[in-house]
Amino acid sequence: MSFNLWALLFALLFAAGLYALVRAVGSLLRLTGTAIVARAPARSGERLNVPAGRYDLCVEGRSFSLDFVGVHVALHGADGEPVPVHRKYLSRTKVSGFGSTRISTGWFELARDSELSLHVQGLSAQAQQRCRIVVQRPIGAGIAIRVVALVLGGFAVIGGLIGSVRVWLLP
């Protein structure tokens, strides 16, 4: 191939990788933002209105804090019956920002729309002020797909840059 064709191919690879990165980051931010169904302070007695379906139960608090160590969270339906929350061990998702982190701790399923009552044990009074319990749609598979897109986009950007430098600067 000629010199100009390689330069064009590497420039296109760089542009495609950059486009994929921008789209994947935007999609990841939309996914994590729209997944939340209900959010309440981490205090017993709080009410959550949740439609029928399968959901992740998450704890949200300050990044790098030990607020949730030893905390037990339970949900009860309007009739007082406990909602079974199944623990997550291998597929826990974590969404972190600069000041807060949301970690999924379990999942539950509702057959009908419900108003759930929150029961929290083992959380200090200070932590109750700054922490929240979040109910969100499962997003683990969506996050995994977007991370793969980010990695592939990053490879394309780096490959396009290295290839362009090689074509333009080295004989």
Side-chain angles (χ1 to χ4, degrees):
M1 283 196 217
S2 70
F3 171 75
N4 292 332
L5 184 57
W6 278 111
L8 177 64
L9 288 176
F10 284 124
L12 288 175
L13 180 65
F14 174 80
L18 197 59
Y19 177 75
L21 283 175
V22 168
R23 292 287 305 242
V25 167
S27 177
L28 185 61
L29 291 175
R30 277 190 307 280
L31 175 72
T32 58
T34 60
I36 296 174
V37 174
R39 177 185 275 154
R43 292 188 297 254
S44 291
E46 293 289 331
R47 300 269 182 205
L48 301 166
N49 290 318
V50 182
R54 183 176 172 158
Y55 298 100
D56 286 346
L57 181 65
C58 304
V59 292
E60 186 176 68
R62 294 183 309 166
S63 296
F64 309 112
S65 73
L66 299 175
D67 290 340
F68 290 106
V69 174
V71 172
H72 178 71
V73 179
L75 298 172
H76 293 272
D79 56 358
E81 288 295 316
V83 174
V85 177
H86 308 280
R87 294 286 168 214
K88 285 186 156 189
Y89 296 105
L90 298 177
S91 63
R92 294 175 67 167
T93 57
K94 180 178 179 181
V95 178
S96 295
F98 291 112
S100 68
T101 299
R102 184 182 336 140
I103 302 171
S104 66
T105 59
W107 64 273
F108 64 94
E109 195 162 357
L110 297 174
R112 58 184 165 77
D113 297 357
S114 300
E115 183 179 77
L116 302 176
S117 176
L118 188 61
H119 296 276
V120 181
Q121 296 174 346
L123 194 60
S124 71
Q126 287 179 335
Q128 286 180 3
Q129 298 296 322
R130 61 180 173 250
C131 299
R132 300 204 172 280
I133 302 298
V134 177
V135 174
Q136 71 179 15
R137 290 177 194 86
I139 59 173
I143 288 176
I145 290 168
R146 284 152 182 90
V147 166
V148 169
L150 286 169
V151 169
L152 293 176
F155 281 149
V157 166
I158 293 168
L161 279 175
I162 292 173
S164 294
V165 167
R166 176 134 169 72
V167 166
W168 288 99
L169 298 179
L170 300 176

